[in-house]
Amino acid sequence: MTPLPSSPAEELALLERELIWLDTRRVQLLRRRSWLKAALRAQSAGGWQPPQGAPGGWAHAPAAHTAPAVPTGSATGGPGAQHVLLILGGLLLAVAAIAFTLFSWGELGIAGRSVVLAGVTAGALGAPVLLLRRGLGATAESVGAVALLLTVLDAYALHAAVLPEADGAGYAAFASGVLAAGWAAYGVGVGRLRLPLPAAVVAGQFPLVLGAWAAGGSVLVIGWALLVTAAGSVVVAARVPGLAVRATAWSGAGVTWAGGLLIGLGESVSASGPLDAAAPGVLLLGAAAVALAAAWRAPQEMAVTGGVVAGLAAVAGVGGVLRTEVPWSWAVVVYLVCGAALAPVARIAVVPRPVRGGVLGAAAGVTGVAVLAVLPSAAATLLGPAAVLTGLWAGAPDGTRELAAGAGAWPDALSVPVVLLVAAVLLAAVYASLVHEGREPAGWTGAAGAGAVGLVSAAVPVLLVSADVAYAAALVVDVLLVAGLLAAAVAVRRVPAAAGGTALWCAVAVAAHAGLLALAAEPATYAVFGLLLVLFAVSAARSREVVARSLTLVLSVVCALVVASAAGASLELGAPRTAVLVLVVPAAVVVLGLWVRTPAVVVPLEAGAGFAALVALGLAVTDGAYLSLVLALCGVLSAATAVRPERRPGAGYLAAGLFATATWVRLVSAGVTHPEAYTLPVSVIACAVGLLRRRTDPEASSWTAYGPGLGVTLGPSLLALWSDPHWQRPLLLGAAALAVTVTGAVRRLQAPLLLGGGTLALVALHELAPHVAQVFDALPRWSVPALAGLLLLALGATYEQRLRDARRLREHLGRMR
């Protein structure tokens, strides 16, 4: 390691030594570079031999520090300058040739023109050979490109001056063929130029197509010309070496093949009969054969793509002929069956694996497109029975199609369910094949099983409506399908998770379809919803999955709710009385919850019971007396639920609120103008009970002890306050609220403080409202937004202080009981 200099003089001396060493090293590297260039020139001239002074072999080449001196007069600047000069010269030669062809061609005779054409073209084509011998590969490529351009110009000039009467398309076809052959021979002969062979491939894409056009061939003839050209390009791409040639051939094959395929598709779709569709079908089959041949030896990614397009072309060709014999509504079925016929290719071992995968992908694509094509019609058919909701129990129809007639939601033929069933069979076959191969029932295997289950679940109800099956038979089939799906979802252990989950939700959808159908007739409603209740309950009892158990339990409660509502309608009880009957469902759920006490079962049951209670409240809302009764019964059910320790806090508060609300509603419905006469004794008794509770249990909350008693009186009094024009009620209620508030503050009780304070604030608002309205009427209109702005500014300026005050208030309230 070089020591650091101790003075500027020593550092300067060190830098001088380093610079001298760098100069010496640079001279050595330049000598080595000159020796290597001389070796490369000798190698390109014909067999490399070590220069004089070298014993032989690269290992004995002179090193950088022993490289021999370059002979005097040898070029050391390299071929860079020569490349530039030769490229510029070639470009100037091309420009001169073009100018000569355009402006001076007519001044020469036939012989002169021939001599000029031959000379210029021969010179341009021969120059790359000489350049390659001197090792100027890049320059040779540039001049070779100019030479190829000159041959194109020569062909144009020959047509313009010598053969002007020749047909343009025919001459172009002949010229492109000659150019393709000539460029190919030139590229093979020269050997080291990279451009002529790809250019020959490009020129070879035009002779057949232009020849067919010049001959006045039909569209199908042009399509065949494109396909034959594509096949030739595939052969070139598969057998001719060279990355540039193969890439160009693959690109040309793709373009010409796509052109032929589009022509075949257009003619096949527009055909009106089997004979008209036969010729385009053969063209499409030819396109499939070309694509299959291209995929056979292509790389893996291209092989898969080739298999896909070959399969699609074959389906389009065969299906285009067969669909002319069926109505348009069945054309989707025809193409789907043709796509299914591709599936046996997977069993042919001689076909490369990527190609088999591509063909199966084509079959899957045809299946998916067919299902998507009929999906809107299937969805409309499944939702068609919803029209029954506008006329419940109108009478059992003769067929299921009559129920969907209001929505106009059934297909004109049976093609929709047939497509769904065929697709389901295909997916089931795929699932069975994958399982037979030892695949795990997950991933794509599980997706195939789930798809088969979903398609069958949709196909059966659609088939019932499309075929106009008898009403009773349709209900039986729907219920049996629900039973089968539930068994697959919760009872069969070997069903994959994806298929089991799909079966569960499909069972819910089919049950909804069956329920809508059943609502058309009274006996059918009881029968169908009763059976669904049993099926969902049995499934919940046998299921071990949390989601399946919860969902089936909730649906069991919903089915029981429908049966109870139907019973009220059958007895002609009216909506308010039916609400009391509906409460039988949550009552049974509460009793069941007290008996089972398993959280995984009780929670979904309570959710269903809560929904049933809300339905009962909605039915009774038009009658105050029955609404009060329903509220009281709901309070009883909540109190019964509060017997369980884990439900005691929430259910207890809910029961107290429901009892208080029932009291208020009853007083209002009875037309009582002084509710205090009824509520005050209850409040006194309730508060006395709460006081005793607090003495025996000091940790009891003030909401539990005093909340219900205070709420029974304060709530109805507030409601009566807003319709009372006298001054006595506001005065007495305000005084009582003030006393309750002060008591809560002194005793540090949260419930009296908040209930009394809230009541006092509402009383004050009631009393001040007329005066505030008068003040706002007297103020100008701009004063209201101005005051609001000032208030917001004040709050913003003291935001932190207000936030701290709110936190302290919350802490004080939290410490209260």
Side-chain angles (χ1 to χ4, degrees):
M1 183 175 180
T2 304
L4 295 176
S6 59
S7 65
E10 292 182 4
E11 183 177 0
L12 180 61
L14 179 61
L15 290 177
E16 291 291 340
R17 287 195 298 271
E18 293 289 339
L19 290 174
I20 292 172
W21 184 86
L22 289 174
D23 290 338
T24 305
R25 183 64 176 164
R26 184 174 183 275
V27 172
Q28 293 174 351
L29 293 175
L30 288 175
R31 290 178 179 177
R32 176 68 173 175
R33 179 168 171 264
S34 300
W35 187 90
L36 292 173
K37 287 183 178 180
L40 288 174
R41 293 194 192 97
Q43 182 182 10
S44 62
W48 177 81
Q49 296 293 332
Q52 291 182 354
W58 289 106
H60 299 87
H65 59 281
T66 61
V70 182
T72 305
S74 63
T76 60
Q82 296 178 3
H83 286 183
V84 175
L85 293 176
L86 289 173
I87 290 174
L88 290 176
L91 291 177
L92 291 176
L93 179 63
V95 172
I98 294 172
F100 174 79
T101 303
L102 295 177
F103 302 109
S104 300
W105 182 263
E107 299 177 2
L108 299 176
I110 299 285
R113 296 173 185 176
S114 301
V115 171
V116 171
L117 279 173
V120 174
T121 304
L125 294 174
V129 179
L130 300 177
L131 292 172
L132 287 174
R133 289 180 179 177
R134 298 196 60 185
L136 303 176
T139 307
E141 293 286 352
S142 302
V143 177
V146 175
L148 298 182
L149 176 62
L150 287 175
T151 57
V152 177
L153 294 175
D154 290 344
Y156 171 75
L158 183 64
H159 176 265
V162 180
L163 301 172
E165 69 281 357
D167 178 64
Y171 180 80
F174 173 77
S176 59
V178 172
L179 288 176
W183 289 350
Y186 179 68
V188 172
V190 175
R192 295 179 57 192
L193 289 179
R194 290 174 292 182
L195 187 60
L197 289 179
V201 173
V202 174
Q205 309 300 313
F206 299 100
L208 289 179
V209 179
L210 294 176
W213 185 16
S218 63
V219 176
L220 290 177
V221 173
I222 296 176
W224 277 111
L226 288 169
L227 284 185
V228 172
T229 303
S233 299
V234 169
V235 173
V236 172
R239 297 186 176 275
V240 177
L243 180 60
V245 177
R246 298 178 68 179
T248 306
W250 281 122
S251 301
V255 173
T256 52
W257 182 89
L261 178 69
L262 291 177
I263 290 176
L265 287 176
E267 294 296 314
S268 178
V269 171
S270 60
S272 58
L275 295 179
D276 293 338
V282 175
L283 178 61
L284 290 172
L285 290 177
V290 172
L292 192 62
W296 204 273
R297 294 186 178 181
Q300 181 173 358
E301 294 78 7
M302 294 182 62
V304 173
T305 304
V308 171
V309 297
L312 294 177
V315 170
V318 178
V321 176
L322 298 179
R323 62 93 187 160
T324 57
E325 295 293 329
V326 298
W328 270 108
S329 59
W330 286 90
V332 179
V333 180
V334 171
Y335 285 109
L336 178 59
V337 173
C338 293
L342 298 175
V345 177
R347 298 295 181 183
I348 304 177
V350 70
V351 180
R353 187 179 183 87
V355 179
R356 281 184 286 165
V359 174
L360 290 180
V366 172
T367 304
V369 171
V371 172
L372 290 177
V374 302
L375 196 59
S377 180
T381 305
L382 291 174
L383 297 176
V388 176
L389 297 176
T390 59
L392 297 176
W393 292 358
D398 295 331
T400 53
R401 179 172 290 189
E402 182 180 342
L403 295 177
W410 69 87
D412 295 334
L414 297 175
S415 59
V416 173
V418 170
V419 168
L420 296 177
L421 289 174
V422 172
V425 171
L426 292 177
L427 288 177
V430 171
Y431 173 78
S433 175
L434 293 175
V435 172
H436 181 71
E437 293 176 1
R439 300 283 186 88
E440 292 293 331
W444 289 108
T445 306
V453 172
L455 290 175
V456 169
S457 303
V460 172
V462 173
L463 180 61
L464 296 176
V465 177
S466 303
D468 198 15
V469 178
Y471 179 68
L475 292 178
V476 171
V477 172
D478 271 349
V479 173
L480 290 177
L481 180 59
V482 172
L485 292 172
L486 288 176
V490 300
V492 181
R493 304 287 180 84
R494 297 178 59 85
V495 173
T502 305
L504 176 63
W505 291 104
C506 289
V508 175
V510 177
H513 183 266
L516 290 175
L517 291 177
L519 292 176
E522 182 178 358
T525 301
Y526 289 107
V528 170
F529 280 98
L531 290 174
L532 292 178
L533 171 61
V534 174
L535 290 175
F536 285 128
V538 172
S539 300
R542 300 188 61 182
S543 176
R544 295 185 179 182
E545 295 291 333
V546 176
V547 175
R549 184 190 297 117
S550 301
L551 182 60
T552 49
L553 283 173
V554 171
L555 292 175
S556 301
V557 176
V558 172
C559 292
L561 179 63
V562 174
V563 172
S565 302
S570 299
L571 298 175
E572 298 182 355
L573 298 178
R577 294 183 180 180
T578 302
V580 180
L581 185 59
V582 166
L583 287 178
V584 174
V585 176
V589 171
V590 170
V591 174
L592 185 61
L594 293 174
W595 177 55
V596 177
R597 294 200 175 188
T598 303
V601 176
V602 172
V603 172
L605 283 176
E606 289 178 346
F611 176 74
L614 291 177
V615 172
L617 292 174
L619 292 173
V621 73
T622 57
D623 191 311
Y626 277 99
L627 179 59
S628 174
L629 177 60
V630 170
L631 287 169
L633 293 176
C634 290
V636 172
L637 296 177
S638 298
T641 305
V643 172
R644 303 205 309 271
E646 69 275 9
R647 292 289 186 266
R648 186 166 297 162
Y653 292 143
L654 180 60
L658 289 171
F659 284 135
T661 306
T663 304
W664 301 342
V665 171
R666 182 58 181 168
L667 293 175
V668 172
S669 63
V672 175
T673 58
H674 299 286
E676 293 82 3
Y678 300 92
T679 60
L680 193 55
V682 178
S683 294
V684 172
I685 296 173
C687 290
V689 173
L691 181 60
L692 294 175
R693 169 73 183 277
R694 289 275 296 175
R695 287 184 177 181
T696 57
D697 184 12
E699 297 299 325
S701 171
S702 61
W703 289 100
T704 304
Y706 306 114
L710 294 175
V712 167
T713 296
L714 294 179
S717 297
L718 278 175
L719 293 176
L721 175 68
W722 292 98
S723 60
D724 191 351
H726 304 290
W727 58 270
Q728 292 87 354
R729 188 188 301 275
L731 178 61
L732 295 175
L733 183 58
L738 179 60
V740 172
T741 304
V742 172
T743 303
V746 172
R747 298 288 185 179
R748 301 181 62 81
L749 299 174
Q750 192 179 100
L753 178 63
L754 295 180
L755 291 176
T759 303
L760 187 60
L762 291 175
V763 171
L765 178 62
H766 175 268
E767 294 301 309
L768 292 176
H771 305 288
V772 172
Q774 293 178 1
V775 171
F776 276 105
D777 289 339
L779 290 176
R781 294 186 177 181
W782 58 264
S783 60
V784 177
L787 292 174
L790 291 175
L791 178 61
L792 292 177
L793 288 176
L795 290 176
T798 60
Y799 174 75
E800 295 294 336
Q801 182 61 37
R802 302 286 80 78
L803 190 61
R804 287 193 293 270
D805 294 342
R807 289 196 184 111
R808 284 197 295 268
L809 178 59
R810 185 182 62 184
E811 292 173 358
H812 289 318
L813 289 175
R815 287 193 292 268
M816 292 182 178
R817 299 298 301 175

